[in-house]
Amino acid sequence: MSAPTLSRTGALLPVVGGDTPVPLVDGRTVPYANLDYAASAPALTAVADRVNEVLPLYASVHRGAGYLSQVSTALYETSRRTIADFVRAREDDVAVIVRNTTDALNLLAGCVPGRVLVLDCEHHANLLPWVHSVGDDRRRATVLTSADTVAGTLDLLRAELARGPYALVTLTGASNVTGESLPLDRVVDLAHAAGARVLVDGAQLVPHRRFSLADTGVDYVAFSGHKTYAPFGAGALIGRRDWLDSGTPYLAGGGAVRDVRTDRTLWQPAPARHEAGSPNVLGAVALAAACQELAALPDGALVEHEEALRRRLLDGLSTIPGVRVLRLWPDSTDPIGVVAFTVGDDDPGLVAAYLSAEWGIGVRDGRFCAHPLLARLGVTGGALRASVGVGTPVEAVDRLIEALRVWTERGPRAEYDVRDGCWTVVDDPRSGVDGIDALAATAAAGCGPVVGE
Ligand code: PLP
C-alpha cells in the first residue's frame, strides 16, 4: 500500500499516467492536466500494481475445482467484503458486483416494491431507470423539482413524502455538475419517517468523501470503479438484503440459479441472483484495492486536498470576467471537487477544444448527462466542468485559470471549426501520443453533438 503523503507533484496519491505528455497545437508537449476526474479517474498506481500481482493467479471462478480457480474465487469474494467494508455496510447488507453505477441503479429498479421519489437534479443514470416506463406500474416515479435552497428542497421532499406512499427516495450523494448535495442524514430521517428507504447514487460521493451506510442510515449505495481510481470495469450496489433477494434477477443465466428445468427456474438469493455470467474478478480486485488505498488515507486528508483545489479553482474563476459558476443550492455545505461554469456566451465545446489543443488540459463540456438540471439552471447551450481528485496537482488548476484568462483577454491562437458536430483545430498538426493517433481515432469514432451529453 502506498504512503498517504503529498507527492512531488502535489497529488495526494500517485496515479498511473499522472505525468503523461500530450502534444499541443504549437508543437510543444506538456504533461496532461487531467481535470475530468468526475467522468473517469485514472488508476491509482497501487491499483495497477495489485492487478498485475493477481493476474498470474487469475482462473475461472465459483465452479472451478482447480487450485487457481479456488484462489480466484477467494480473491473475488474477499474483494466483495472489502468493497462493502469501505462503505461501512451493515452485517446483513448485500454487495452486488456490477459494471458501474448505471448498472447498479438499473438493477435496483427491478427490485423496488413500490413508487420512487427522485429529484430533477440527478444524473440521467439516477433518473431514467425510475421514470422509464416498462409497463410495470411499480417502477413509476415522481420527479420532484428541487428548490433553490437546501432548506426549500427538504421542505418539498417532506411534503411530497406525505402524499406517498413511496418505497424509495433516490438522490445523488454529490452532484456531477456542481459537486453539491443535500444533507443525507436529513433526507434519511424524512424518508424513514414516511416509511421509505433511501438510495444514494454514490458515483461522485464515494471516491471523494468517506461514506458510511451504517452511520448515515442510507439503505443502498451505488458507485463505479472507474470513478474510484479502479478503471477495470467493476462497480457495486450495496444495501438491504430483502429487496435484492426477492427482486427480478438482473441478468438471466448461469451462476444466478439453483436449479433449472425447462418449465421453471429456481433463482439464487442475492448477490448471485443478480450476477449471472462469469464475474469480473479483476475489476472487483481493482476496486477493492482502490477502496483500501482510500481508506488508508489519514482522517481528513481527502477532504483537505480536494477542498484546497476547489477553493483555488473558485478563487481563480472569480477573477475571470464573464465566468458564471453553476450552483444548485448556495446554502449547501461540503461540496466535492466538481465545478461547472460558463464563460460569457462562449461555446463550451470551443473553449474545451482550445484548453486541450493550446494548454494540454482535459475538461468536460456539454450537459453532463443531467439535462433537466442544466435546464433548471437556465443553461441551454451546455457548460464546462473541471473536476479533481487524489492525483490532481495544484499546477493543473493554475494552468486552467491562466488558460481561461488568456482566452478572455486574447482568444485562441489556432483556428477552430465544427467537424462532425465537434469543435476541432483546423489543419491540426498533432500526430498523437506514443504512436496512438488519438485525434484520428476520435474522428473515426465520431465525437457526438456539440451540445452533447
Ligand atoms: N451518477 C452520477 C452522479 C455520475 O456522475 C455518473 C457518471 O458520470 C453516473 C451516475 C453514471 O456512472 P457510470 O457511467 O459509471 O455508470
Side-chain angles (χ1 to χ4, degrees):
M1 207 170 283
S2 52
T5 51
L6 278 177
S7 78
R8 184 176 52 80
T9 59
L12 186 61
L13 287 173
V15 296
V16 180
D19 289 329
T20 300
V22 292
L24 302 185
V25 77
D26 64 6
R28 287 181 302 136
T29 298
V30 292
Y32 186 52
N34 186 346
L35 292 173
D36 201 12
Y37 275 55
S40 280
L44 292 177
T45 305
V47 168
D49 291 347
R50 178 70 177 142
V51 168
N52 281 328
E53 187 181 48
V54 303
L55 262 175
L57 305 174
Y58 178 70
S60 62
V61 288
H62 285 156
R63 289 169 290 275
Y67 185 77
L68 287 192
S69 293
Q70 301 203 353
V71 170
S72 284
T73 302
L75 280 169
Y76 185 63
E77 292 306 329
T78 313
S79 299
R80 189 197 300 283
R81 191 66 255 159
T82 303
I83 295 164
D85 286 346
F86 179 59
V87 293
R88 298 273 320 278
R90 294 151 291 238
E91 196 59 39
D92 50 354
D93 282 340
V94 182
V96 186
I97 305 298
V98 294
R99 288 177 299 179
N100 48 38
T101 307
T102 305
D103 212 24
L105 299 172
N106 278 276
L107 188 166
L108 194 65
C111 301
V112 179
R115 289 180 61 81
V116 176
L117 182 53
V118 59
L119 289 165
D120 63 344
C121 51
E122 297 297 320
H123 186 284
H124 295 164
N126 194 27
L127 188 64
L128 298 179
W130 315 111
V131 301
H132 185 65
S133 174
V134 289
D136 178 350
D137 214 34
R138 293 179 318 158
R139 277 216 198 174
R140 295 259 179 80
T142 299
V143 183
L144 195 61
T145 304
S146 44
D148 293 343
T149 60
V150 165
T153 305
L154 291 174
D155 285 345
L156 290 174
L157 265 177
R158 186 184 297 106
E160 184 55 39
L161 280 164
R163 281 192 276 274
Y166 286 100
L168 184 72
V169 175
T170 179
L171 78 163
T172 189
S175 164
N176 67 308
V177 178
T178 67
E180 297 164 308
S181 56
L182 295 174
L184 291 181
D185 52 345
R186 301 280 304 281
V187 175
V188 168
D189 285 349
L190 291 176
H192 285 181
R197 290 184 179 180
V198 175
L199 160 66
V200 165
D201 169 354
Q204 299 298 340
L205 177 70
V206 168
H208 300 282
R209 291 289 182 276
R210 290 210 165 132
F211 172 76
S212 165
L213 282 165
D215 292 346
T216 56
V218 166
D219 300 281
Y220 298 93
V221 65
F223 61 105
S224 299
H226 72 102
K227 296 183 198 287
T228 315
Y229 312 104
F232 291 85
L237 171 67
I238 302 167
R240 309 273 183 204
R241 172 171 280 287
D242 51 353
W243 288 1
L244 292 169
D245 270 351
S246 58
T248 310
Y250 186 50
L251 290 171
V257 290
R258 277 194 288 125
D259 187 56
V260 178
R261 295 191 198 148
T262 50
D263 59 347
R264 67 112 176 91
T265 303
L266 296 181
W267 297 94
Q268 294 270 25
R273 181 183 194 83
H274 302 289
E275 289 186 7
S278 301
N280 181 357
V281 179
L282 291 173
V285 166
L287 181 50
C291 290
Q292 281 179 320
E293 286 294 303
L294 293 175
L297 285 169
D299 280 348
L302 201 53
V303 178
E304 202 181 310
H305 175 71
E306 291 190 8
E307 183 47 33
L309 292 168
R310 183 183 165 96
R311 184 62 14 240
R312 199 173 179 98
L313 183 56
L314 289 174
D315 286 349
L317 289 175
S318 71
T319 66
I320 311 286
V323 164
R324 173 192 167 202
V325 172
L326 306 187
R327 297 292 307 260
L328 265 168
W329 302 299
D331 57 335
S332 66
T333 55
D334 193 24
I336 63 158
V338 174
V339 173
F341 57 95
T342 51
V343 187
D345 292 332
D346 297 344
D347 189 316
L350 173 58
V351 181
Y354 152 83
L355 291 172
S356 172
E358 300 186 33
W359 295 83
I361 298 169
V363 293
R364 183 52 65 103
D365 67 278
R367 291 187 287 164
F368 318 120
C369 294
H371 297 181
L373 187 162
L374 272 274
R376 194 164 78 69
L377 295 177
V379 181
T380 49
L384 290 146
R385 181 184 71 187
S387 52
V388 300
V390 297
T392 311
V394 166
E395 187 278 330
V397 171
D398 291 350
R399 203 191 311 175
L400 174 65
I401 299 303
E402 180 58 14
L404 290 171
R405 187 185 323 286
V406 171
W407 168 268
T408 52
E409 286 173 3
R410 184 204 74 192
R413 284 231 187 276
E415 197 185 332
Y416 295 82
D417 199 3
V418 176
R419 210 184 312 147
D420 297 329
C422 188
W423 282 102
T424 47
V425 178
V426 175
D427 297 328
D428 196 331
R430 292 173 293 172
S431 60
V433 187
D434 287 344
I436 299 169
D437 192 336
L439 297 174
T442 308
C447 61
V450 177
V451 182
E453 291 214 311

